[in-house]
Amino acid sequence: MKDTPRFLLLCLAIVVQAQTAMADPPPAFQGRRLFVSYCQLCHGPDGKGDGPLAAQMKIKPADLTTTVRSRSDTILRKIITGEGKQTITGRDRHNLISDAMPEWKSVFSDQQIDALIAWLRFLSTSKHPLLGDPSVGYKTYEQYCTACHGEQGEGDGILTRLLKIEPADHSNPNAMNPLSNDELVDSILEGAGEYMPAWEGILSRAEVEGLVSYIRLLSQ
Ligand code: HEC
Ligand code: HEC
């Protein structure tokens, strides 16, 4: 390892990080977890309506990657809780949600429903598939990245107050969407500018791919 300023910063970042508490992950991250536990059995892992239960069902689970685009958050909330479902307005049959979709009533808190909706928005709008496991990415980001990039990825970590560094805002879709998964992998492995450390040889492939997914969910 070369004795560069970038390397020294890397050490500093890890020390600073060890002393701060875990931040809440972004809503889409939490929503994905709920989706895996409660929804993918019918809707499938990618929301396409092809979960293991789908084959046996008479009314097929919706392909959420297309249907939710035209739905407002309010309507999605009604569909998920089942409360006020009958008041969904629209001319075609598509707007009648049958009992084949469970009514979750108060199973989820308001915050959890917001999280589910954030994940549905990701499924239906993201141009970039999740590359690795976001849970691995969450832990790794907390450990190695938030000191500079900030707890919510906004580019306002503790070290940015001590040094004149300005990482991009990972929570800003306009900044992140133009970058491909491969470009993010390269930035992470190779480092960038004066201050972004190169993580090649420090992080495993799975950790780097997890980080890319986590950054995607931060910018949802
Ligand atoms: C037991 C299977 C099942 C489970 C579990 C399930 N769904 Fe559904 N869901 C369906 C079916 C079937 C439909 C289509 C209903 C229809 O077309 O009448 C549907 C429709 C929907 C729709 C409406 C799609 C649209 O815009 O027309 C949304 C949104 C939705 N589900 C979200 C969820 C979420 C979020 C969860 C997890 C909390 C979930 N579903 C769990 C079976 C399921
Ligand atoms: C010592 C501070 C520091 C640490 C620690 C750090 N970064 Fe960065 N990072 C930066 C800076 C500064 C930039 C902007 C570099 C430039 O000038 O283009 C950057 C850039 C990036 C970029 C390119 C897009 C962008 O945001 O500008 C990605 C992706 C990135 N970092 C991810 C990570 C990940 C993932 C980690 C943790 C494994 C991490 N960074 C750790 C400071 C840091």
Side-chain angles (χ1 to χ4, degrees), residues 34-35 37-43 53 57-64 66-71 75-77 79-80 93-102 104 108 116-117 120:
L34 294 169
F35 189 88
S37 304
Y38 299 103
C39 321
Q40 74 169 6
L41 213 52
C42 293
H43 290 284
L53 275 185
M57 294 178 73
K58 225 164 75 196
I59 299 176
K60 295 299 173 208
D63 176 353
L64 301 175
T66 57
T67 58
V68 304
R69 269 185 229 151
S70 58
R71 305 258 191 228
I75 297 293
L76 287 175
R77 181 174 291 272
I79 294 174
I80 294 168
R93 210 196 123 266
H94 171 64
N95 282 294
L96 302 169
I97 307 294
S98 74
D99 294 340
M101 163 66 186
W104 298 90
F108 304 116
L116 276 166
I117 293 173
L120 297 184

mmCIF file of all heavy atoms in Angstrom, residues 34-35 37-43 53 57-64 66-71 75-77 79-80 93-102 104 108 116-117 120, ligand 1:
data_model
loop_
_atom_site.group_PDB
_atom_site.id
_atom_site.type_symbol
_atom_site.label_atom_id
_atom_site.label_comp_id
_atom_site.label_asym_id
_atom_site.label_seq_id
_atom_site.Cartn_x
_atom_site.Cartn_y
_atom_site.Cartn_z
ATOM 1 N N LEU A 34 -39.122 -5.540 3.608
ATOM 2 C CA LEU A 34 -40.524 -5.902 3.854
ATOM 3 C C LEU A 34 -41.072 -6.663 2.656
ATOM 4 O O LEU A 34 -41.791 -7.653 2.798
ATOM 5 C CB LEU A 34 -41.369 -4.647 4.109
ATOM 6 C CG LEU A 34 -41.051 -3.872 5.388
ATOM 7 C CD1 LEU A 34 -41.749 -2.521 5.389
ATOM 8 C CD2 LEU A 34 -41.490 -4.682 6.619
ATOM 9 N N PHE A 35 -40.715 -6.192 1.461
ATOM 10 C CA PHE A 35 -41.195 -6.817 0.226
ATOM 11 C C PHE A 35 -40.744 -8.282 0.148
ATOM 12 O O PHE A 35 -41.519 -9.170 -0.202
ATOM 13 C CB PHE A 35 -40.677 -6.033 -0.981
ATOM 14 C CG PHE A 35 -41.291 -6.457 -2.288
ATOM 15 C CD1 PHE A 35 -42.469 -5.885 -2.741
ATOM 16 C CD2 PHE A 35 -40.694 -7.431 -3.072
ATOM 17 C CE1 PHE A 35 -43.041 -6.277 -3.945
ATOM 18 C CE2 PHE A 35 -41.261 -7.839 -4.271
ATOM 19 C CZ PHE A 35 -42.439 -7.257 -4.711
ATOM 20 N N SER A 37 -40.091 -10.262 2.605
ATOM 21 C CA SER A 37 -40.805 -11.083 3.584
ATOM 22 C C SER A 37 -42.285 -11.248 3.253
ATOM 23 O O SER A 37 -42.855 -12.293 3.520
ATOM 24 C CB SER A 37 -40.718 -10.453 4.981
ATOM 25 O OG SER A 37 -39.383 -10.272 5.346
ATOM 26 N N TYR A 38 -42.934 -10.204 2.730
ATOM 27 C CA TYR A 38 -44.388 -10.224 2.655
ATOM 28 C C TYR A 38 -44.980 -10.227 1.257
ATOM 29 O O TYR A 38 -46.153 -10.507 1.099
ATOM 30 C CB TYR A 38 -44.972 -9.023 3.422
ATOM 31 C CG TYR A 38 -44.629 -9.020 4.874
ATOM 32 C CD1 TYR A 38 -43.642 -8.178 5.374
ATOM 33 C CD2 TYR A 38 -45.279 -9.888 5.754
ATOM 34 C CE1 TYR A 38 -43.312 -8.181 6.720
ATOM 35 C CE2 TYR A 38 -44.957 -9.896 7.100
ATOM 36 C CZ TYR A 38 -43.968 -9.043 7.580
ATOM 37 O OH TYR A 38 -43.641 -9.051 8.906
ATOM 38 N N CYS A 39 -44.246 -9.883 0.266
ATOM 39 C CA CYS A 39 -44.868 -9.659 -1.040
ATOM 40 C C CYS A 39 -44.323 -10.550 -2.144
ATOM 41 O O CYS A 39 -45.040 -10.888 -3.081
ATOM 42 C CB CYS A 39 -44.714 -8.203 -1.479
ATOM 43 S SG CYS A 39 -44.887 -6.982 -0.160
ATOM 44 N N GLN A 40 -43.064 -10.949 -2.065
ATOM 45 C CA GLN A 40 -42.475 -11.601 -3.235
ATOM 46 C C GLN A 40 -42.979 -13.014 -3.467
ATOM 47 O O GLN A 40 -42.869 -13.530 -4.567
ATOM 48 C CB GLN A 40 -40.946 -11.559 -3.189
ATOM 49 C CG GLN A 40 -40.299 -12.489 -2.206
ATOM 50 C CD GLN A 40 -38.782 -12.554 -2.425
ATOM 51 O OE1 GLN A 40 -38.224 -11.825 -3.233
ATOM 52 N NE2 GLN A 40 -38.112 -13.423 -1.706
ATOM 53 N N LEU A 41 -43.583 -13.606 -2.450
ATOM 54 C CA LEU A 41 -44.206 -14.917 -2.607
ATOM 55 C C LEU A 41 -45.186 -14.900 -3.785
ATOM 56 O O LEU A 41 -45.259 -15.843 -4.558
ATOM 57 C CB LEU A 41 -44.969 -15.240 -1.316
ATOM 58 C CG LEU A 41 -45.069 -16.683 -0.865
ATOM 59 C CD1 LEU A 41 -43.704 -17.343 -0.822
ATOM 60 C CD2 LEU A 41 -45.731 -16.734 0.516
ATOM 61 N N CYS A 42 -45.926 -13.827 -3.904
ATOM 62 C CA CYS A 42 -46.855 -13.694 -5.036
ATOM 63 C C CYS A 42 -46.246 -12.863 -6.163
ATOM 64 O O CYS A 42 -46.289 -13.245 -7.318
ATOM 65 C CB CYS A 42 -48.159 -13.042 -4.582
ATOM 66 S SG CYS A 42 -49.107 -14.074 -3.446
ATOM 67 N N HIS A 43 -45.707 -11.701 -5.803
ATOM 68 C CA HIS A 43 -45.283 -10.757 -6.850
ATOM 69 C C HIS A 43 -43.917 -11.068 -7.453
ATOM 70 O O HIS A 43 -43.535 -10.451 -8.445
ATOM 71 C CB HIS A 43 -45.302 -9.323 -6.310
ATOM 72 C CG HIS A 43 -46.690 -8.806 -6.074
ATOM 73 N ND1 HIS A 43 -47.507 -8.401 -7.098
ATOM 74 C CD2 HIS A 43 -47.417 -8.677 -4.937
ATOM 75 C CE1 HIS A 43 -48.680 -8.011 -6.601
ATOM 76 N NE2 HIS A 43 -48.656 -8.173 -5.293
ATOM 77 N N LEU A 53 -46.103 -18.528 -5.627
ATOM 78 C CA LEU A 53 -47.536 -18.796 -5.479
ATOM 79 C C LEU A 53 -48.342 -18.472 -6.733
ATOM 80 O O LEU A 53 -49.475 -18.918 -6.888
ATOM 81 C CB LEU A 53 -48.111 -17.976 -4.321
ATOM 82 C CG LEU A 53 -47.997 -18.532 -2.907
ATOM 83 C CD1 LEU A 53 -48.748 -17.622 -1.942
ATOM 84 C CD2 LEU A 53 -48.582 -19.949 -2.844
ATOM 85 N N MET A 57 -52.534 -19.335 -8.660
ATOM 86 C CA MET A 57 -53.575 -18.325 -8.413
ATOM 87 C C MET A 57 -54.425 -18.059 -9.648
ATOM 88 O O MET A 57 -53.902 -17.956 -10.754
ATOM 89 C CB MET A 57 -52.927 -17.030 -7.916
ATOM 90 C CG MET A 57 -52.273 -17.224 -6.554
ATOM 91 S SD MET A 57 -51.443 -15.742 -5.976
ATOM 92 C CE MET A 57 -52.847 -14.717 -5.557
ATOM 93 N N LYS A 58 -55.731 -17.930 -9.432
ATOM 94 C CA LYS A 58 -56.648 -17.676 -10.542
ATOM 95 C C LYS A 58 -56.483 -16.240 -11.050
ATOM 96 O O LYS A 58 -56.320 -16.003 -12.236
ATOM 97 C CB LYS A 58 -58.097 -17.930 -10.101
ATOM 98 C CG LYS A 58 -58.872 -18.728 -11.139
ATOM 99 C CD LYS A 58 -60.144 -19.322 -10.575
ATOM 100 C CE LYS A 58 -61.200 -18.239 -10.418
ATOM 101 N NZ LYS A 58 -62.320 -18.652 -9.552
ATOM 102 N N ILE A 59 -56.517 -15.315 -10.108
ATOM 103 C CA ILE A 59 -56.231 -13.922 -10.481
ATOM 104 C C ILE A 59 -54.741 -13.706 -10.251
ATOM 105 O O ILE A 59 -54.246 -13.873 -9.142
ATOM 106 C CB ILE A 59 -57.049 -12.938 -9.626
ATOM 107 C CG1 ILE A 59 -58.542 -13.209 -9.863
ATOM 108 C CG2 ILE A 59 -56.694 -11.484 -9.965
ATOM 109 C CD1 ILE A 59 -59.458 -12.379 -9.022
ATOM 110 N N LYS A 60 -54.038 -13.400 -11.318
ATOM 111 C CA LYS A 60 -52.569 -13.346 -11.232
ATOM 112 C C LYS A 60 -52.097 -12.103 -10.481
ATOM 113 O O LYS A 60 -52.668 -11.016 -10.640
ATOM 114 C CB LYS A 60 -51.959 -13.343 -12.643
ATOM 115 C CG LYS A 60 -52.216 -14.626 -13.423
ATOM 116 C CD LYS A 60 -51.603 -15.839 -12.729
ATOM 117 C CE LYS A 60 -52.005 -17.139 -13.415
ATOM 118 N NZ LYS A 60 -52.012 -18.279 -12.473
ATOM 119 N N PRO A 61 -51.052 -12.250 -9.684
ATOM 120 C CA PRO A 61 -50.462 -11.081 -9.017
ATOM 121 C C PRO A 61 -50.008 -10.055 -10.069
ATOM 122 O O PRO A 61 -49.502 -10.443 -11.120
ATOM 123 C CB PRO A 61 -49.249 -11.660 -8.272
ATOM 124 C CG PRO A 61 -49.509 -13.127 -8.174
ATOM 125 C CD PRO A 61 -50.333 -13.495 -9.364
ATOM 126 N N ALA A 62 -50.224 -8.794 -9.746
ATOM 127 C CA ALA A 62 -49.894 -7.746 -10.715
ATOM 128 C C ALA A 62 -48.386 -7.685 -10.977
ATOM 129 O O ALA A 62 -47.591 -8.006 -10.098
ATOM 130 C CB ALA A 62 -50.376 -6.404 -10.170
ATOM 131 N N ASP A 63 -48.037 -7.281 -12.196
ATOM 132 C CA ASP A 63 -46.637 -6.961 -12.512
ATOM 133 C C ASP A 63 -46.403 -5.529 -12.021
ATOM 134 O O ASP A 63 -46.732 -4.554 -12.693
ATOM 135 C CB ASP A 63 -46.414 -7.053 -14.027
ATOM 136 C CG ASP A 63 -44.992 -6.641 -14.412
ATOM 137 O OD1 ASP A 63 -44.248 -6.166 -13.522
ATOM 138 O OD2 ASP A 63 -44.630 -6.790 -15.591
ATOM 139 N N LEU A 64 -45.831 -5.421 -10.839
ATOM 140 C CA LEU A 64 -45.705 -4.110 -10.195
ATOM 141 C C LEU A 64 -44.719 -3.205 -10.921
ATOM 142 O O LEU A 64 -44.739 -1.986 -10.724
ATOM 143 C CB LEU A 64 -45.296 -4.284 -8.727
ATOM 144 C CG LEU A 64 -46.287 -5.114 -7.887
ATOM 145 C CD1 LEU A 64 -45.739 -5.348 -6.487
ATOM 146 C CD2 LEU A 64 -47.644 -4.431 -7.810
ATOM 147 N N THR A 66 -44.793 -2.421 -13.882
ATOM 148 C CA THR A 66 -45.504 -1.564 -14.835
ATOM 149 C C THR A 66 -46.715 -0.883 -14.190
ATOM 150 O O THR A 66 -46.932 0.308 -14.407
ATOM 151 C CB THR A 66 -45.991 -2.356 -16.067
ATOM 152 O OG1 THR A 66 -46.815 -3.426 -15.608
ATOM 153 C CG2 THR A 66 -44.829 -2.937 -16.842
ATOM 154 N N THR A 67 -47.479 -1.614 -13.374
ATOM 155 C CA THR A 67 -48.741 -1.033 -12.889
ATOM 156 C C THR A 67 -48.550 0.164 -11.954
ATOM 157 O O THR A 67 -49.337 1.106 -12.020
ATOM 158 C CB THR A 67 -49.595 -2.072 -12.140
ATOM 159 O OG1 THR A 67 -48.826 -2.588 -11.052
ATOM 160 C CG2 THR A 67 -50.025 -3.203 -13.050
ATOM 161 N N VAL A 68 -47.520 0.123 -11.106
ATOM 162 C CA VAL A 68 -47.467 1.184 -10.093
ATOM 163 C C VAL A 68 -47.031 2.544 -10.642
ATOM 164 O O VAL A 68 -47.197 3.556 -9.978
ATOM 165 C CB VAL A 68 -46.593 0.816 -8.865
ATOM 166 C CG1 VAL A 68 -47.059 -0.468 -8.220
ATOM 167 C CG2 VAL A 68 -45.133 0.739 -9.206
ATOM 168 N N ARG A 69 -46.494 2.556 -11.864
ATOM 169 C CA ARG A 69 -46.029 3.837 -12.423
ATOM 170 C C ARG A 69 -47.151 4.871 -12.475
ATOM 171 O O ARG A 69 -46.930 6.042 -12.241
ATOM 172 C CB ARG A 69 -45.495 3.629 -13.840
ATOM 173 C CG ARG A 69 -44.012 3.328 -13.821
ATOM 174 C CD ARG A 69 -43.451 3.230 -15.216
ATOM 175 N NE ARG A 69 -42.678 2.010 -15.306
ATOM 176 C CZ ARG A 69 -42.505 1.305 -16.401
ATOM 177 N NH1 ARG A 69 -43.059 1.680 -17.528
ATOM 178 N NH2 ARG A 69 -41.784 0.217 -16.377
ATOM 179 N N SER A 70 -48.358 4.410 -12.793
ATOM 180 C CA SER A 70 -49.450 5.375 -12.938
ATOM 181 C C SER A 70 -50.219 5.580 -11.628
ATOM 182 O O SER A 70 -51.222 6.286 -11.603
ATOM 183 C CB SER A 70 -50.414 4.891 -14.026
ATOM 184 O OG SER A 70 -50.891 3.603 -13.673
ATOM 185 N N ARG A 71 -49.771 4.960 -10.570
ATOM 186 C CA ARG A 71 -50.498 5.077 -9.298
ATOM 187 C C ARG A 71 -49.845 6.115 -8.389
ATOM 188 O O ARG A 71 -48.624 6.133 -8.233
ATOM 189 C CB ARG A 71 -50.473 3.743 -8.551
ATOM 190 C CG ARG A 71 -50.995 2.562 -9.361
ATOM 191 C CD ARG A 71 -52.376 2.238 -8.945
ATOM 192 N NE ARG A 71 -52.853 0.968 -9.496
ATOM 193 C CZ ARG A 71 -54.028 0.844 -10.072
ATOM 194 N NH1 ARG A 71 -54.818 1.897 -10.221
ATOM 195 N NH2 ARG A 71 -54.440 -0.326 -10.497
ATOM 196 N N ILE A 75 -52.991 6.239 -3.588
ATOM 197 C CA ILE A 75 -53.683 5.050 -4.104
ATOM 198 C C ILE A 75 -52.925 3.787 -3.696
ATOM 199 O O ILE A 75 -53.530 2.795 -3.266
ATOM 200 C CB ILE A 75 -53.809 5.119 -5.648
ATOM 201 C CG1 ILE A 75 -54.668 6.303 -6.070
ATOM 202 C CG2 ILE A 75 -54.368 3.813 -6.210
ATOM 203 C CD1 ILE A 75 -56.111 6.223 -5.683
ATOM 204 N N LEU A 76 -51.616 3.818 -3.810
ATOM 205 C CA LEU A 76 -50.833 2.629 -3.427
ATOM 206 C C LEU A 76 -51.069 2.285 -1.956
ATOM 207 O O LEU A 76 -51.213 1.123 -1.589
ATOM 208 C CB LEU A 76 -49.344 2.850 -3.697
ATOM 209 C CG LEU A 76 -48.944 2.815 -5.176
ATOM 210 C CD1 LEU A 76 -47.471 3.171 -5.344
ATOM 211 C CD2 LEU A 76 -49.216 1.437 -5.793
ATOM 212 N N ARG A 77 -51.139 3.323 -1.139
ATOM 213 C CA ARG A 77 -51.406 3.097 0.289
ATOM 214 C C ARG A 77 -52.756 2.410 0.467
ATOM 215 O O ARG A 77 -52.891 1.464 1.227
ATOM 216 C CB ARG A 77 -51.392 4.461 0.988
ATOM 217 C CG ARG A 77 -51.637 4.439 2.485
ATOM 218 C CD ARG A 77 -51.445 5.853 3.022
ATOM 219 N NE ARG A 77 -50.046 6.232 2.958
ATOM 220 C CZ ARG A 77 -49.156 5.978 3.923
ATOM 221 N NH1 ARG A 77 -49.546 5.384 5.031
ATOM 222 N NH2 ARG A 77 -47.904 6.322 3.795
ATOM 223 N N ILE A 79 -54.344 0.552 -1.715
ATOM 224 C CA ILE A 79 -54.291 -0.811 -2.239
ATOM 225 C C ILE A 79 -53.621 -1.735 -1.218
ATOM 226 O O ILE A 79 -54.084 -2.839 -0.958
ATOM 227 C CB ILE A 79 -53.534 -0.869 -3.589
ATOM 228 C CG1 ILE A 79 -54.300 -0.115 -4.667
ATOM 229 C CG2 ILE A 79 -53.312 -2.316 -4.025
ATOM 230 C CD1 ILE A 79 -53.553 0.001 -6.008
ATOM 231 N N ILE A 80 -52.541 -1.260 -0.620
ATOM 232 C CA ILE A 80 -51.787 -2.118 0.301
ATOM 233 C C ILE A 80 -52.596 -2.376 1.586
ATOM 234 O O ILE A 80 -52.730 -3.518 2.018
ATOM 235 C CB ILE A 80 -50.408 -1.507 0.630
ATOM 236 C CG1 ILE A 80 -49.532 -1.481 -0.643
ATOM 237 C CG2 ILE A 80 -49.696 -2.314 1.720
ATOM 238 C CD1 ILE A 80 -48.253 -0.660 -0.533
ATOM 239 N N ARG A 93 -61.176 -1.931 -15.907
ATOM 240 C CA ARG A 93 -61.215 -3.033 -14.955
ATOM 241 C C ARG A 93 -59.933 -3.064 -14.092
ATOM 242 O O ARG A 93 -59.954 -3.488 -12.945
ATOM 243 C CB ARG A 93 -61.320 -4.353 -15.753
ATOM 244 C CG ARG A 93 -62.044 -5.449 -15.030
ATOM 245 C CD ARG A 93 -61.772 -6.796 -15.696
ATOM 246 N NE ARG A 93 -61.197 -7.707 -14.718
ATOM 247 C CZ ARG A 93 -59.894 -7.883 -14.551
ATOM 248 N NH1 ARG A 93 -59.033 -7.239 -15.303
ATOM 249 N NH2 ARG A 93 -59.446 -8.725 -13.627
ATOM 250 N N HIS A 94 -58.893 -2.592 -14.697
ATOM 251 C CA HIS A 94 -57.590 -2.566 -14.061
ATOM 252 C C HIS A 94 -57.623 -1.863 -12.700
ATOM 253 O O HIS A 94 -56.830 -2.141 -11.823
ATOM 254 C CB HIS A 94 -56.642 -1.861 -15.038
ATOM 255 C CG HIS A 94 -55.312 -1.559 -14.488
ATOM 256 N ND1 HIS A 94 -54.444 -2.542 -14.098
ATOM 257 C CD2 HIS A 94 -54.687 -0.380 -14.256
ATOM 258 C CE1 HIS A 94 -53.329 -1.979 -13.658
ATOM 259 N NE2 HIS A 94 -53.456 -0.682 -13.732
ATOM 260 N N ASN A 95 -58.577 -0.943 -12.569
ATOM 261 C CA ASN A 95 -58.639 -0.199 -11.333
ATOM 262 C C ASN A 95 -59.430 -0.899 -10.231
ATOM 263 O O ASN A 95 -59.561 -0.363 -9.141
ATOM 264 C CB ASN A 95 -59.195 1.202 -11.592
ATOM 265 C CG ASN A 95 -58.116 2.083 -12.185
ATOM 266 O OD1 ASN A 95 -57.138 2.386 -11.532
ATOM 267 N ND2 ASN A 95 -58.264 2.431 -13.443
ATOM 268 N N LEU A 96 -59.966 -2.080 -10.520
ATOM 269 C CA LEU A 96 -60.644 -2.834 -9.471
ATOM 270 C C LEU A 96 -59.649 -3.842 -8.916
ATOM 271 O O LEU A 96 -59.175 -4.716 -9.629
ATOM 272 C CB LEU A 96 -61.862 -3.573 -10.046
ATOM 273 C CG LEU A 96 -62.900 -2.684 -10.707
ATOM 274 C CD1 LEU A 96 -63.904 -3.533 -11.468
ATOM 275 C CD2 LEU A 96 -63.590 -1.814 -9.668
ATOM 276 N N ILE A 97 -59.315 -3.681 -7.682
ATOM 277 C CA ILE A 97 -58.355 -4.605 -7.080
ATOM 278 C C ILE A 97 -59.149 -5.683 -6.343
ATOM 279 O O ILE A 97 -59.912 -5.392 -5.435
ATOM 280 C CB ILE A 97 -57.422 -3.880 -6.093
ATOM 281 C CG1 ILE A 97 -56.768 -2.668 -6.753
ATOM 282 C CG2 ILE A 97 -56.376 -4.848 -5.545
ATOM 283 C CD1 ILE A 97 -55.809 -2.977 -7.874
ATOM 284 N N SER A 98 -58.962 -6.932 -6.742
ATOM 285 C CA SER A 98 -59.765 -8.014 -6.165
ATOM 286 C C SER A 98 -59.204 -8.450 -4.818
ATOM 287 O O SER A 98 -58.139 -8.010 -4.383
ATOM 288 C CB SER A 98 -59.765 -9.205 -7.113
ATOM 289 O OG SER A 98 -58.499 -9.827 -7.044
ATOM 290 N N ASP A 99 -59.929 -9.384 -4.189
ATOM 291 C CA ASP A 99 -59.493 -9.886 -2.880
ATOM 292 C C ASP A 99 -58.279 -10.803 -2.987
ATOM 293 O O ASP A 99 -57.752 -11.244 -1.969
ATOM 294 C CB ASP A 99 -60.638 -10.650 -2.209
ATOM 295 C CG ASP A 99 -61.782 -9.717 -1.879
ATOM 296 O OD1 ASP A 99 -61.524 -8.500 -1.823
ATOM 297 O OD2 ASP A 99 -62.911 -10.200 -1.687
ATOM 298 N N ALA A 100 -57.850 -11.106 -4.210
ATOM 299 C CA ALA A 100 -56.652 -11.933 -4.363
ATOM 300 C C ALA A 100 -55.423 -11.212 -3.813
ATOM 301 O O ALA A 100 -54.429 -11.841 -3.474
ATOM 302 C CB ALA A 100 -56.444 -12.286 -5.839
ATOM 303 N N MET A 101 -55.491 -9.891 -3.742
ATOM 304 C CA MET A 101 -54.423 -9.110 -3.099
ATOM 305 C C MET A 101 -54.812 -8.951 -1.627
ATOM 306 O O MET A 101 -55.846 -8.374 -1.318
ATOM 307 C CB MET A 101 -54.290 -7.753 -3.793
ATOM 308 C CG MET A 101 -53.531 -6.680 -3.025
ATOM 309 S SD MET A 101 -51.767 -7.042 -2.768
ATOM 310 C CE MET A 101 -51.352 -5.649 -1.699
ATOM 311 N N PRO A 102 -54.009 -9.504 -0.718
ATOM 312 C CA PRO A 102 -54.369 -9.413 0.707
ATOM 313 C C PRO A 102 -54.529 -7.963 1.157
ATOM 314 O O PRO A 102 -53.833 -7.083 0.676
ATOM 315 C CB PRO A 102 -53.177 -10.066 1.419
ATOM 316 C CG PRO A 102 -52.404 -10.788 0.376
ATOM 317 C CD PRO A 102 -52.700 -10.147 -0.932
ATOM 318 N N TRP A 104 -53.759 -5.609 3.976
ATOM 319 C CA TRP A 104 -52.795 -5.679 5.086
ATOM 320 C C TRP A 104 -53.236 -4.873 6.299
ATOM 321 O O TRP A 104 -52.597 -4.925 7.348
ATOM 322 C CB TRP A 104 -51.411 -5.241 4.602
ATOM 323 C CG TRP A 104 -50.896 -6.145 3.528
ATOM 324 C CD1 TRP A 104 -51.080 -6.002 2.184
ATOM 325 C CD2 TRP A 104 -50.169 -7.371 3.682
ATOM 326 N NE1 TRP A 104 -50.507 -7.049 1.499
ATOM 327 C CE2 TRP A 104 -49.928 -7.902 2.398
ATOM 328 C CE3 TRP A 104 -49.682 -8.063 4.796
ATOM 329 C CZ2 TRP A 104 -49.240 -9.096 2.187
ATOM 330 C CZ3 TRP A 104 -48.989 -9.242 4.587
ATOM 331 C CH2 TRP A 104 -48.776 -9.756 3.294
ATOM 332 N N PHE A 108 -48.718 -2.940 8.770
ATOM 333 C CA PHE A 108 -47.539 -2.076 8.617
ATOM 334 C C PHE A 108 -47.804 -0.697 9.208
ATOM 335 O O PHE A 108 -48.917 -0.175 9.124
ATOM 336 C CB PHE A 108 -47.203 -1.906 7.127
ATOM 337 C CG PHE A 108 -46.985 -3.215 6.422
ATOM 338 C CD1 PHE A 108 -47.836 -3.628 5.404
ATOM 339 C CD2 PHE A 108 -45.929 -4.044 6.776
ATOM 340 C CE1 PHE A 108 -47.645 -4.846 4.749
ATOM 341 C CE2 PHE A 108 -45.728 -5.266 6.131
ATOM 342 C CZ PHE A 108 -46.586 -5.652 5.119
ATOM 343 N N LEU A 116 -42.330 0.678 1.716
ATOM 344 C CA LEU A 116 -42.768 -0.242 0.652
ATOM 345 C C LEU A 116 -42.985 0.513 -0.659
ATOM 346 O O LEU A 116 -42.578 0.057 -1.731
ATOM 347 C CB LEU A 116 -44.078 -0.936 1.059
ATOM 348 C CG LEU A 116 -43.941 -2.180 1.945
ATOM 349 C CD1 LEU A 116 -45.289 -2.565 2.552
ATOM 350 C CD2 LEU A 116 -43.369 -3.365 1.149
ATOM 351 N N ILE A 117 -43.630 1.687 -0.548
ATOM 352 C CA ILE A 117 -43.901 2.474 -1.759
ATOM 353 C C ILE A 117 -42.585 2.926 -2.399
ATOM 354 O O ILE A 117 -42.420 2.859 -3.621
ATOM 355 C CB ILE A 117 -44.839 3.669 -1.443
ATOM 356 C CG1 ILE A 117 -46.223 3.133 -1.057
ATOM 357 C CG2 ILE A 117 -44.943 4.619 -2.636
ATOM 358 C CD1 ILE A 117 -47.204 4.187 -0.559
ATOM 359 N N LEU A 120 -41.360 0.031 -4.315
ATOM 360 C CA LEU A 120 -42.139 -0.181 -5.545
ATOM 361 C C LEU A 120 -41.736 0.841 -6.604
ATOM 362 O O LEU A 120 -41.646 0.525 -7.795
ATOM 363 C CB LEU A 120 -43.651 -0.072 -5.277
ATOM 364 C CG LEU A 120 -44.266 -1.109 -4.319
ATOM 365 C CD1 LEU A 120 -45.776 -0.929 -4.234
ATOM 366 C CD2 LEU A 120 -43.929 -2.534 -4.746
HETATM 367 C C1 HEC B 1 -51.227 -13.837 -1.758
HETATM 368 C C2 HEC B 1 -50.599 -13.165 -2.866
HETATM 369 C C3 HEC B 1 -50.210 -11.717 -2.711
HETATM 370 C C4 HEC B 1 -49.390 -11.160 -1.760
HETATM 371 C C5 HEC B 1 -48.693 -11.852 -0.597
HETATM 372 C C6 HEC B 1 -49.281 -9.749 -2.091
HETATM 373 N N1 HEC B 1 -50.021 -9.470 -3.205
HETATM 374 FE FE1 HEC B 1 -50.212 -7.666 -4.103
HETATM 375 N N2 HEC B 1 -51.518 -8.449 -5.448
HETATM 376 C C7 HEC B 1 -51.851 -9.789 -5.534
HETATM 377 C C8 HEC B 1 -52.759 -9.979 -6.648
HETATM 378 C C9 HEC B 1 -53.354 -11.293 -7.078
HETATM 379 C C10 HEC B 1 -52.963 -8.712 -7.230
HETATM 380 C C11 HEC B 1 -53.831 -8.363 -8.426
HETATM 381 C C12 HEC B 1 -55.210 -8.128 -7.931
HETATM 382 C C13 HEC B 1 -56.185 -7.864 -9.050
HETATM 383 O O1 HEC B 1 -55.734 -7.691 -10.196
HETATM 384 O O2 HEC B 1 -57.358 -7.825 -8.760
HETATM 385 C C14 HEC B 1 -52.157 -7.776 -6.447
HETATM 386 C C15 HEC B 1 -52.095 -6.410 -6.681
HETATM 387 C C16 HEC B 1 -51.256 -5.541 -6.030
HETATM 388 C C17 HEC B 1 -51.136 -4.122 -6.319
HETATM 389 C C18 HEC B 1 -51.934 -3.347 -7.348
HETATM 390 C C19 HEC B 1 -51.216 -3.300 -8.640
HETATM 391 C C20 HEC B 1 -51.869 -2.303 -9.548
HETATM 392 O O3 HEC B 1 -51.368 -1.183 -9.591
HETATM 393 O O4 HEC B 1 -52.857 -2.637 -10.198
HETATM 394 C C21 HEC B 1 -50.168 -3.628 -5.488
HETATM 395 C C22 HEC B 1 -49.659 -2.192 -5.422
HETATM 396 C C23 HEC B 1 -49.706 -4.720 -4.671
HETATM 397 N N3 HEC B 1 -50.380 -5.857 -5.014
HETATM 398 C C24 HEC B 1 -48.729 -4.598 -3.706
HETATM 399 C C25 HEC B 1 -48.405 -5.605 -2.818
HETATM 400 C C26 HEC B 1 -47.494 -5.424 -1.716
HETATM 401 C C27 HEC B 1 -46.740 -4.135 -1.403
HETATM 402 C C28 HEC B 1 -47.473 -6.606 -1.047
HETATM 403 C C29 HEC B 1 -46.678 -6.944 0.207
HETATM 404 C C30 HEC B 1 -46.924 -6.094 1.371
HETATM 405 C C31 HEC B 1 -48.333 -7.528 -1.747
HETATM 406 N N4 HEC B 1 -48.892 -6.882 -2.807
HETATM 407 C C32 HEC B 1 -48.539 -8.838 -1.366
HETATM 408 C C33 HEC B 1 -51.404 -10.800 -4.713
HETATM 409 C C34 HEC B 1 -50.585 -10.643 -3.614
#
